[in-house]
Amino acid sequence: MKSTNEYLIPFIGLKLGKHQFEFKIGKKFFDEFGFDEFENCDITADVVLDKKETMLEISFKHSGTVNVPCDLTGEQFDLPIKGKIKIVVQFGEEFNNDNDEMLILPHGEHQIDVSQYIYEMIVLSVPLKRIHPGVKDGTLQTEALEKLKELQVKEVKKENKEEDTDPRWDQLKKLLTDK
């Protein structure tokens, strides 16, 4: 993804203490990452940057909905999601983001791009199995479900098990009961 100024936080001019930032995340945000599993989304990401003498603590929190297909029916629905992560930013000789909870920026840096962290936080908060709420409570009405009800077997015929047995087996069964 190319870095956009919208998700860059310049921390060099900020006073020590907490600073709050809010980002509205839409489909365009995920298109820039090449992620196309969401049809649409409406997410608010809150970022709190706590500037200290020698480091930064950044807390990310998001809530909203993503429009995804149901894994069982294929119907689109709005799935509510929420989540949070926290990272610590320290300064060192070279850039290093190997650790999930700690980021090392070079000493000369004056801003941080938070778009990758917002992206990962949102994508990881979506459950692996996405089930339409109408499936859970039985209120979902679709053409596919109507057709399945129409084609459902109405009556199951009970078979008489004694008539269907092979006479050779009947002789063997007598051996068990003759004792």
Side-chain angles (χ1 to χ4, degrees):
M1 174 182 165
K2 60 182 188 224
S3 179
T4 61
N5 290 337
E6 186 178 351
Y7 302 102
L8 288 176
I9 298 177
F11 55 83
I12 200 74
L14 297 176
K15 295 179 181 179
L16 295 179
K18 293 186 178 189
H19 305 277
Q20 180 130 2
F21 302 91
E22 184 176 287
F23 301 99
K24 295 288 185 190
I25 308 296
K27 175 86 170 111
K28 181 183 171 198
F29 177 80
F30 292 102
D31 289 343
E32 291 178 11
F33 279 95
F35 187 79
D36 60 355
E37 285 193 29
F38 303 153
E39 291 296 320
N40 198 359
C41 60
D42 181 25
I43 301 168
T44 302
D46 295 316
V47 178
V48 177
L49 184 138
D50 189 3
K51 184 174 180 181
K52 302 194 180 216
E53 290 287 332
T54 59
M55 67 179 190
L56 305 169
E57 289 182 359
I58 305 175
S59 299
F60 297 88
K61 189 165 85 171
H62 77 280
S63 63
T65 59
V66 292
N67 190 279
V68 293
C70 174
D71 290 336
L72 300 176
T73 63
E75 293 292 317
Q76 296 288 352
F77 72 103
D78 287 333
L79 177 69
I81 59 168
K82 62 181 179 178
K84 58 184 176 180
I85 61 171
K86 193 172 192 174
I87 63 167
V88 174
V89 180
Q90 293 186 337
F91 299 95
E93 294 300 318
E94 60 184 34
F95 180 84
N96 185 348
N97 64 352
D98 291 342
N99 191 333
D100 292 340
E101 297 173 355
M102 185 162 63
L103 171 68
I104 298 175
L105 292 177
H107 286 294
E109 280 293 319
H110 62 280
Q111 61 188 6
I112 183 170
D113 185 5
V114 295
S115 60
Q116 182 68 33
Y117 295 102
I118 293 172
Y119 168 77
E120 290 174 6
M121 173 182 63
I122 293 170
V123 170
L124 292 174
S125 69
V126 177
L128 291 175
K129 191 166 187 179
R130 302 171 293 212
I131 300 174
H132 193 290
V135 172
K136 292 179 183 175
D137 61 15
T139 60
L140 181 65
Q141 299 295 324
T142 65
E143 288 182 30
L145 289 175
E146 293 300 322
K147 191 66 175 175
L148 283 173
K149 285 180 186 173
E150 185 180 306
L151 297 173
Q152 185 177 10
V153 176
K154 304 290 185 218
E155 184 179 314
V156 178
K157 296 179 182 177
K158 295 183 180 182
E159 298 177 7
N160 190 350
K161 292 180 182 180
E162 292 179 15
E163 292 178 5
D164 292 343
T165 60
D166 190 350
R168 293 174 288 183
W169 288 107
D170 291 337
Q171 296 298 322
L172 292 172
K173 287 181 186 176
K174 285 182 185 177
L175 291 174
L176 290 175
T177 57
D178 286 345
K179 291 181 182 180

